[in-house]
Amino acid sequence: MGGELGHLYQRWSDTLTRALAHLEAYIDFSEDDNVEEGVLLQVDATVRALEQEIGSHLQDGRRGELLRGGVRAVIAGPPNVGKSSLLNLL
């Protein structure tokens, strides 16, 4: 996740986190007039733009990149918590 895709996914995560923070601020403080006008429109536009960007990303040729290259994962935990069951399910 330290490469180009990792940076892209991190940017998406940051964008969603900011949108969520604005939305929660609107819900919590909309009565106090401490929240800018149009914050809901801004959040809506941000999320829709991100949705289009993710959709475009999924449509390009990179979809099979993980299938071709594989994924490295570690399943760690205490004994008898279901690590083997999870691995078998995967």
Side-chain angles (χ1 to χ4, degrees), residues 32-81:
D32 300 336
D33 293 332
N34 292 337
V35 179
E36 298 175 13
E37 289 294 321
V39 70
L40 288 181
L41 294 174
Q42 179 185 3
V43 167
D44 184 54
T46 300
V47 171
R48 287 181 190 270
L50 185 59
E51 179 184 22
Q52 288 179 342
E53 186 178 345
I54 292 171
S56 296
H57 178 74
L58 291 175
Q59 294 302 319
D60 75 6
R62 296 184 189 193
R63 280 196 306 188
E65 188 173 328
L66 288 177
L67 293 175
R68 287 188 301 273
V71 175
R72 289 187 180 198
V74 174
I75 301 175
N80 298 321
V81 294

